[in-house]
Amino acid sequence: MVEIKSDAALDAMREAGRVVGRALEAVRAAARPGVSLQELDEVARGVLAEAGARSPFLGYRPSFAPTPFPAVICTSVNDAVVHGIPTGYRLRDGDLVSVDCGAELDGWTGDAAVSFTVGTARPADLALIEATRRALDAGIAAAVAGGRLGDISHAIGTAARRARCGMPEGFGGHGIGRRMHEDPHLPNRGRPGRGFPLRHGLVLAIEPMLMAGGRDDYRTGDDGWTLFTMDGSRAAHIEHTVAVTEDGPRILTLP
């Protein structure tokens, strides 16, 4: 069932989203060569604790997962697309890192992700991140009252294909509110004018995941969580929680 949020709920979700934005900022600032992924997770834990928020990631176990997720952020490096578990791996110069984070505050949830490079950036990685950002911006711009869910999907998919990037088949965004994952599912490709109507108060986590090699297939790592590009090419993932309003899209996960 799709829940339409009141304006008061949107304001409450903005506060949860603000925590997410601050956590991602702190993690990005701490990410440099030699820092471990587990240390980045500790940074995010500190931000959530200071805000009095809990993590919807920690202990989360969807049907496909062999174990509960053990961290408050996902850290996906280089050819990892999404769902990477923070380990003792220490960042290296030139790594491309995607970090996904959620926060629950006063019963409401925010979810967002960033991608960035560590140290000396490869031009191709910067171009991939920019393509992913453009896909997200296109999706957000299409999240307008009176439209349809397929308008967002079509905007994301068109931007990704224009950049000749692949997108993992079957993965996309989702509704969000009191729980991290709610209806409706938001594919990263689709037909305009189709799907659930976009109404004031609908809140969506919009999250393009682009793979530089152009293929849509992927493989799941030995941990049962991490998705990797099949061809070893690099990937980027950028996400915001966005409310559809009569005044246009409202991004809820800015710092």
Side-chain angles (χ1 to χ4, degrees):
M1 183 180 73
V2 177
E3 180 187 4
I4 301 300
K5 279 70 176 179
S6 67
D7 288 344
L10 296 184
D11 289 341
M13 290 189 70
R14 175 69 182 105
E15 295 309 308
R18 202 184 306 275
V19 176
V20 175
R22 290 202 301 263
L24 289 174
E25 274 196 338
V27 168
R28 183 169 186 166
R32 57 187 180 274
V35 173
S36 75
L37 301 180
Q38 288 172 335
E39 288 170 333
L40 296 183
D41 185 66
E42 288 300 323
V43 169
R45 287 175 189 250
V47 175
L48 267 61
E50 184 178 359
R54 65 171 293 276
S55 170
F57 288 21
L58 185 63
Y60 180 60
R61 188 178 184 181
S63 58
F64 68 80
T67 58
F69 196 78
V72 305
I73 58 173
C74 298
T75 51
S76 305
V77 181
N78 296 332
D79 63 334
V81 186
V82 288
H83 302 162
I85 295 175
T87 65
Y89 173 84
R90 296 193 176 275
L91 294 171
R92 302 171 183 172
D93 187 61
D95 278 345
L96 192 166
V97 185
S98 297
V99 179
D100 194 353
C101 182
E104 182 184 300
L105 183 67
D106 297 329
W108 295 100
T109 308
D111 185 11
V114 295
S115 289
F116 54 86
T117 56
V118 175
T120 307
R122 299 182 183 184
D125 289 344
L126 295 178
L128 175 63
I129 293 170
E130 178 58 27
T132 310
R133 170 62 64 188
R134 287 196 301 268
L136 175 62
D137 288 346
I140 293 173
V144 295
R148 294 275 180 169
L149 204 66
D151 299 340
I152 302 174
S153 302
H154 179 72
I156 293 170
T158 298
R161 296 312 189 200
R162 186 178 295 124
R164 298 185 177 180
C165 291
M167 297 176 287
E169 188 70 40
F171 284 81
H174 50 88
I176 183 170
R178 294 193 180 277
R179 293 176 293 110
M180 180 169 58
H181 290 129
E182 297 183 351
D183 292 333
H185 172 62
L186 174 60
N188 280 335
R189 57 176 69 83
R191 297 176 63 183
R194 300 295 183 92
F196 191 84
L198 303 180
R199 296 170 47 194
H200 181 95
L202 176 66
V203 185
L204 301 165
I206 303 176
E207 50 178 322
M209 311 154 192
L210 271 58
M211 302 186 291
R215 295 172 57 173
D216 294 340
D217 51 348
Y218 61 88
R219 64 179 181 86
T220 302
D222 293 339
D223 60 16
W225 275 98
T226 311
L227 269 57
F228 292 93
T229 61
M230 187 66 76
D231 57 7
S233 64
R234 295 198 170 193
H237 172 214
I238 309 179
E239 175 185 13
H240 269 307
T241 296
V242 179
V244 176
T245 80
E246 295 293 348
D247 297 323
R250 181 184 179 189
I251 300 174
L252 302 179
T253 40
L254 295 171

